[in-house]
Amino acid sequence: MNPHEDTVAALQQTESELCEALGEHDLEVAVVRTELGAALQRAGRLVEAHQAYGAALAARELALGPYHPELGPTLLDLGQLAAERGDRVAASSYARRAQAVLEGHVASDDPLLVLARTWVVRQE
């Protein structure tokens, strides 16, 4: 058994409980979904990881708006996943959007912004 499957199962249970208690689009649910996406990605379950990251991003967008800098990390997660799946177009799109939401809201040397810029340049 993949060592990440126990983590996936625990996070799925937590997600379910939080959705029931707080609602589908609560920020705490988004945080757990991001962690679930990461665990699924490590487990090699890339389609499910994409779904979890996408649901996390949707919840953050509803709670914070489509241009909030807190979207940056999830956008970068989605970009990394897209690159891992060989989808350079999607990876570039996520990196560009991450850069756009971070620019002007974080320091110019912020590690996430630097990473987003690097990925944008790599995809060109």
Side-chain angles (χ1 to χ4, degrees):
M1 180 181 214
N2 186 311
H4 301 290
E5 291 300 331
D6 287 341
T7 303
V8 168
L11 288 167
Q12 287 172 326
Q13 179 65 35
T14 302
E15 175 197 20
S16 177
E17 292 170 3
L18 285 175
C19 280
E20 187 175 316
L22 303 173
E24 184 81 13
H25 302 294
D26 188 85
L27 280 176
E28 293 300 317
V29 174
V31 170
V32 171
R33 285 183 174 150
T34 300
E35 293 303 316
L36 176 59
L40 288 162
Q41 188 172 359
R42 287 189 304 272
R45 296 165 58 180
L46 304 185
V47 171
E48 292 170 89
H50 184 267
Q51 292 168 339
Y53 285 140
L57 180 63
R60 280 185 168 88
E61 287 174 325
L62 283 172
L64 303 170
Y67 306 105
H68 198 281
E70 285 188 33
L71 301 179
T74 305
L75 289 164
L76 289 172
D77 289 336
L78 281 160
Q80 179 184 9
L81 181 61
E84 189 174 327
R85 295 174 72 190
D87 188 345
R88 290 179 52 129
V89 172
S92 178
S93 177
Y94 287 124
R96 286 181 193 286
R97 184 160 176 224
Q99 182 179 358
V101 299
L102 293 168
E103 287 280 356
H105 297 283
V106 298
S108 63
D109 62 347
D110 181 272
L112 291 175
L113 181 54
V114 170
L115 180 61
R117 288 179 182 145
T118 301
W119 285 4
V120 167
V121 169
R122 277 191 204 157
Q123 300 302 325
E124 292 178 344

